[in-house]
């Protein structure tokens, strides 16, 4: 992976483990509709947009809703999710995340956030790491969800670095696919069997060093 000039980081599952809060809120919503939603089913929601996640949850419960009802349900889930992330503290940054992003910056490598979440700023503020990123592209700035590369291409553009010099850190299959579709390198965070399209897979940013780039 020669010549890397920018690192673009997904947020949920890479910098912070918010999956548990997403799960609790989706499960609460499912329960309010009269069915349960397992942790295993929740795996399908990783990296997926809020509305698509809702559709997967409703499908799991065998429930059909109108678009207006879906808007309302997504809003309800988000309100519960926001309640939880508002309680987050700096302890919830995943091991090695802050250190690795900082080491990139110290080496002159640009850093960006590339997340599907519309709650990214709240989370970054709670973790006190807004300033770790030269550019922040989140769910409020994109129209196409991963595996579309829009979020990462906008990140590269904001940094002024061409895609071939960028590497994306992702825990979701859709995110690795998005990086590849954008002509970027991808480092998977998680299981190599699941993220087999990535150029390299590590278990967490605590396993990353600059010489692996
Ligand atoms: C992604 C998460 O980062 O953001 C998904 O992996 C989530 O689980 C998506 O659905 C959208 O997040 P939000 O905060 O805008 O509902
Ligand atoms: Mg993720």
């Amino acid at each position: 992976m020669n010549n890397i000039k920018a690192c673009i980081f997904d947020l949920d599952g890479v910098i912070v483990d918010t999956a548990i809060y997403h799960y609790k809120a989706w499960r609460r919503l499912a329960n309010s509709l009269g069915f349960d939603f397992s942790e295993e089913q929740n795996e399908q929601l990783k990296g997926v947009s809020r509305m698509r996640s809702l559709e997967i949850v409703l499908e799991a419960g065998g429930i059909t809703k109108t678009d207006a009802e879906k808007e309302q349900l997504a809003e309800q889930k988000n309100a519960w999710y926001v309640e939880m992330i508002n309680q987050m503290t700096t302890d919830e940054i995943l091991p090695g995340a802050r250190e690795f992003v900082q080491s990139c910056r110290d080496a002159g490598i640009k850093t960006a956030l590339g997340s599907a979440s519309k709650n990214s700023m709240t989370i970054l503020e709670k973790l006190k790491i807004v300033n770790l990123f030269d550019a922040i592209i989140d769910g409020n700035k994109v129209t196409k969800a991963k595996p579309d590369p829009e979020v990462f291409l906008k990140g590269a553009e904001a940094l002024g670095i061409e895609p071939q010099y960028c590497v994306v850190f992702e825990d979701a299959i859709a995110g690795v696919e998005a990086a590849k579709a954008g002509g970027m390198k991808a480092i998977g965070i998680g299981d190599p069997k699941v993220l087999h399209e990535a150029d390299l897979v590590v278990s967490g940013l605590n396993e990353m060093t600059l010489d692996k780039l």
Side-chain angles (χ1 to χ4, degrees), residues 84-166:
M84 287 183 277
I85 58 171
N86 273 332
Q87 309 297 318
M88 286 179 82
T89 66
T90 52
D91 298 344
E92 289 174 68
I93 302 177
L94 284 170
R98 183 204 300 274
E99 293 77 5
F100 181 69
V101 182
Q102 187 60 52
S103 71
C104 291
R105 295 172 68 92
D106 294 345
I109 296 169
K110 300 245 186 234
T111 59
L113 190 87
S115 168
S117 175
K118 293 184 175 168
N119 294 298
S120 292
M121 273 320 271
T122 306
I123 296 168
L124 294 180
E125 277 164 11
K126 286 284 161 196
L127 301 181
K128 297 193 167 52
I129 53 171
V130 178
N131 295 335
L132 269 186
F133 302 98
D134 298 305
I136 294 172
I137 309 294
D138 68 9
N140 299 298
K141 294 188 181 160
V142 295
T143 54
K144 293 176 229 143
K146 300 170 189 176
D148 188 283
E150 184 186 12
V151 65
F152 298 137
L153 291 175
K154 283 200 166 154
E157 196 186 340
L159 296 175
I161 306 285
E162 285 178 52
Q164 70 262 35
Y165 302 118
C166 297

Side-chain angles (χ1 to χ4, degrees), residues 10-13 18-19 22-23 26 42-54 74 77-78 81-82 85 114-120 123 138-140 146 170-172:
D10 173 47
L11 177 65
D12 294 316
T18 36
H22 279 296
Y23 173 55
W26 284 126
N42 186 61
E43 282 302 303
Q44 299 168 59
L45 308 186
K46 266 193 188 175
V48 173
S49 73
R50 192 181 307 167
M51 197 40 86
R52 183 64 199 129
S53 298
L54 173 66
K77 178 269 172 178
N78 191 54
Y81 178 67
V82 168
I85 58 171
S115 168
S117 175
K118 293 184 175 168
N119 294 298
S120 292
I123 296 168
D138 68 9
N140 299 298
K146 300 170 189 176
E170 258 293 350
D171 68 316

